[in-house]
Amino acid sequence: MSPQTDRIDEPRLNSLDQVLDAQHAHPALVEELFSIADLFGSDPALRRAVTDPGAPVEARQQLVSRLLDGKVSPEAVAVLRQAAGLRWRTAGTFVSSVERQAIRSALAQAQAAGQLDQVEDELFRLERTVAGTPELRDALSDNRQPLAARQDIVARLLDGKAAPATVVLARRAVVARERTFADTVDGYLALAAAQRSRAVATVRVAVPLTAEQTARLQNALNKQLGRPVSMHVVVDPAVLGGVRVEVGDEVIDGTVASRLDEARKLFS
C-alpha cells in the first residue's frame, strides 16, 4: 500500500489494527491472513462482493463467515469480518489492508519472542544485499519464473541464519504485488518501527561506525526527532566522509560529498 493510501485510509487501518491486536496471536494466523489476502486478490468478483458499499454491512460480514468459518481460525475470521464491515477507497485497498495485518501479526509474534530487533536488522541487510546484487534482484523480480521458485531463493539465502519471522516475511516480500522487493521490505521495516512507536532512519556513512559513534548518533536522532529511532546503517564510500541521515522525506546531510557538490554549484 502506498503512503498516500495509508493516509487516506488511516482511520480504517487503525480500526483493523485494533481488532488484530485484540486477538490471540498464534503461528498459523500469519499464513492464514496471507492466504486470505491472496484469495481476495485473485478473485475480482469476490473482492467486489465483500467491499460493495451498496451492500449492507451485515451481508458483507455474513459472506465472510460463510466463506471462512471452519476453514481458518476464529481470529482470522474476526479480522476479515471487521475489514468487510469497513468502507474502503478501492477493493484493492481492502486486499492490501488484510495483507498488512498478516505482516503486523508476524512482527508482533517476533516482538513477543524478543526477536523484533533481530528481524528488523535481518530484513534490512537482506534488502541491501538484493539491492547490491543485480543478478539476485533480477531473479526475484522475474515473473516468468514460478513464485515458489523465487521464494525459495530467499529461503536458501536465510536458511539457518535468520529468525523464523524474517524468513516468512522475506518469502512474502517476493510477491511484491504492487511494488518491488526492496519497496516491500522497506514497508515491513516501517511497520516494525511503528510496532514500537519508532521512526526509521537510514544512515549512510563512508566507513563503519564504532559502537560509541553509533550510540552518540542514536541519542542525537532520538532527541532531534522526539521519539526513539530505528537506525539502519549503510556503508557507502560515495559519501566520502561525514554522515547522511534519511528519515522519510527528510534528509540531514553532513557528508563531504554534499559539501563538494555545494562548492561546485558556486563555480558552475
Side-chain angles (χ1 to χ4, degrees):
M1 203 182 305
S2 69
Q4 182 177 359
T5 302
D6 282 346
R7 288 194 294 271
I8 291 171
D9 288 305
E10 186 173 354
R12 300 168 183 83
L13 293 174
N14 289 341
S15 171
L16 205 53
D17 288 354
Q18 291 170 10
V19 171
L20 177 76
D21 294 345
Q23 305 306 310
H24 167 67
H26 55 86
L29 183 58
V30 177
E31 290 301 340
E32 286 177 344
L33 291 173
F34 278 140
S35 295
I36 293 168
D38 289 340
L39 171 64
F40 285 97
S42 64
D43 191 326
L46 183 60
R47 191 165 63 245
R48 286 194 298 270
V50 82
T51 59
D52 181 5
V57 168
E58 184 178 351
R60 302 199 304 268
Q61 291 180 324
Q62 286 178 347
L63 172 60
V64 165
S65 293
R66 289 196 303 272
L67 188 68
L68 300 178
D69 278 348
K71 298 177 182 176
V72 296
S73 66
E75 291 83 1
V77 175
V79 172
L80 264 293
R81 281 182 59 87
Q82 175 69 11
L86 298 171
R87 184 184 292 266
W88 297 99
R89 190 172 67 92
T90 68
T93 305
F94 166 84
V95 175
S96 297
S97 73
V98 175
E99 180 152 347
R100 181 177 186 271
Q101 297 311 315
I103 298 159
R104 292 186 69 251
S105 181
L107 294 170
Q109 291 179 43
Q111 187 173 22
Q115 296 179 327
L116 188 53
D117 283 334
Q118 177 186 348
V119 169
E120 195 173 347
D121 183 64
E122 289 168 349
L123 286 172
F124 177 72
R125 292 182 184 281
L126 175 63
E127 187 274 326
R128 297 309 306 169
T129 297
V130 172
T133 313
E135 298 85 355
L136 180 56
R137 186 176 66 243
D138 292 344
L140 294 181
S141 63
D142 186 357
N143 292 326
R144 295 170 299 180
Q145 300 301 318
L147 174 61
R150 290 182 282 133
Q151 289 177 317
D152 284 346
I153 294 174
V154 293
R156 289 195 298 271
L157 281 174
L158 298 173
D159 186 31
K161 305 172 186 175
T166 304
V167 178
V168 169
L169 291 173
R171 285 176 59 88
R172 185 65 188 184
V174 178
V175 177
R177 182 180 286 113
E178 298 176 359
R179 302 182 297 178
T180 66
F181 178 87
D183 288 338
T184 302
V185 172
D186 284 345
Y188 294 176
L189 294 173
L191 283 176
Q195 196 89 4
R196 294 168 293 179
S197 300
R198 292 184 176 183
V200 180
T202 299
V203 177
R204 300 183 185 277
V205 292
V207 296
L209 298 175
T210 66
E212 181 183 357
Q213 289 171 327
T214 299
R216 287 169 54 195
L217 181 57
Q218 180 87 59
N219 290 334
L221 289 174
N222 290 349
K223 290 179 181 177
Q224 181 164 344
L225 297 174
R227 57 174 168 155
V229 175
S230 287
M231 196 169 72
H232 304 302
V233 179
V234 178
V235 177
D236 180 3
V239 303
L240 300 182
V243 60
R244 175 185 173 93
V245 180
E246 302 163 7
V247 183
D249 296 330
E250 183 179 355
V251 176
I252 306 167
D253 199 336
T255 65
V256 172
S258 69
R259 292 195 290 273
L260 289 175
D261 285 340
E262 291 171 2
R264 290 190 191 99
K265 291 176 184 176
L266 294 174
F267 295 96
S268 62

